[in-house]
Amino acid sequence: MEKLKDYAEIVAQASKGELVFPTSVNAALRLQLALADPDCDMEDVIRKVLGEPLLAARTVALANAAVFNRGGAPVTSVRSAVQRVGFRNLYTMAAAMVVRQFGSRIRDAALRAQAEQLWRHSAHVAALAHVIARKLTRTDADTALFAGIVHEAGGFYLLSRADDIPGLLDDPEEWMGAAQEIITREIMKKMAIPEPVSQAIVSLRGATLTPPPLGLRDTLLIAKHLAPIRSPLSPEREHASLSGFFDDNAALEQILFESADEAASMSAALLA
């Protein structure tokens, strides 16, 4: 009964826009919002990135990933990395910091392991979505990368709250469905996620894919299906909705086979 009361309180907070973010998340969120400012010039961006060592390291790693480093010449400075990846992808890296910071404060070992698995799943989904968007679904690839990074933000938030409320996530029937949608929507608002991205993410649960795949939601569905690491918060039945789709689309497997190195390079950069 107490657990139900705690969960109801979290949902009520979400409904009122009163979600509680850790201090570390707030710092990364401020950086993300600053990068979204169209008046933020290059020198200001570089100073902000240098002020966040983790973001600086990941920005350089991403700039050296195969998808951005087609010439093979490595970059070793933040300035060169920012110029290579561009503001949009840098914004995605800032969002990745926000998402990942949720798991960084978890004390419980089992929950921390779930958060790490969820992050690895998100990184693989983002990398695959970037490839699938360019080569199959005719979707903006940078948007797909960003959506893949943040699509499990609600799950990270719940894991961080479960650290303070033992047993909160023991029964999926209590927190999946409409309640989870409320929390996810409010997380998207808090992170200032653009509405088209937010809508695609919220519509993932229970969605099915009908050939030909088009748009951001379908891109994420395929990426989630193909990700080598599953989300620890998703029941296996969610992945069955794509069953049979690939039997009629052998070209997709060929596309991903040809892009395996690119996706692996990008996911490695995100996981660094």
Side-chain angles (χ1 to χ4, degrees), residues 30 38 40 47 73-74 99 112 128 148 171 203 223 227 231-232 253 266:
R30 285 194 295 271
C40 193
R47 283 194 297 271
V99 172
R112 193 164 58 247
L128 286 164
D171 187 353
S203 66
S231 164
E253 291 188 1
M266 179 169 287

Side-chain angles (χ1 to χ4, degrees), residues 47-209:
R47 283 194 297 271
K48 284 181 169 64
V49 174
L50 288 172
E52 293 286 344
L54 285 176
L55 179 62
R58 288 173 186 150
T59 301
V60 172
L62 184 66
N64 286 315
V67 65
F68 294 112
N69 188 22
R70 301 189 184 280
V75 298
T76 57
S77 71
V78 167
R79 179 180 296 278
S80 297
V82 170
Q83 291 172 339
R84 177 177 287 182
V85 303
F87 281 14
R88 289 185 67 191
N89 290 304
L90 189 59
Y91 176 80
T92 296
M93 291 300 96
M97 284 183 61
V98 173
V99 172
R100 201 168 188 181
Q101 285 294 325
F102 278 120
S104 67
R105 66 183 287 271
I106 295 176
R107 301 177 299 274
D108 181 86
L111 291 172
R112 193 164 58 247
Q114 288 188 68
E116 180 59 26
Q117 180 180 339
L118 192 60
W119 173 246
R120 295 179 69 82
H121 169 74
S122 298
H124 283 291
V125 169
L128 286 164
H130 191 270
V131 171
I132 292 165
R134 286 194 299 108
K135 299 199 172 188
L136 183 70
T137 58
R138 304 178 185 277
T139 301
D140 182 77
D142 290 340
T143 299
L145 177 72
F146 174 72
I149 284 293
V150 301
H151 84 282
E152 289 281 10
F156 279 101
Y157 181 78
L158 284 173
L159 283 170
S160 71
R161 295 305 306 271
D163 194 48
D164 299 320
I165 308 172
L168 180 69
L169 303 182
D170 286 352
D171 187 353
E173 298 303 323
E174 293 177 357
W175 55 268
M176 292 183 67
Q180 186 182 26
E181 180 177 329
I182 291 172
I183 292 171
T184 298
R185 284 189 180 279
E186 289 306 317
I187 287 285
M188 297 292 105
K189 288 181 182 179
K190 188 87 169 182
M191 293 179 65
I193 305 299
E195 180 58 27
V197 175
S198 175
Q199 186 57 42
I201 290 170
V202 171
S203 66
L204 281 175
R205 191 163 302 281
T208 57
L209 186 67

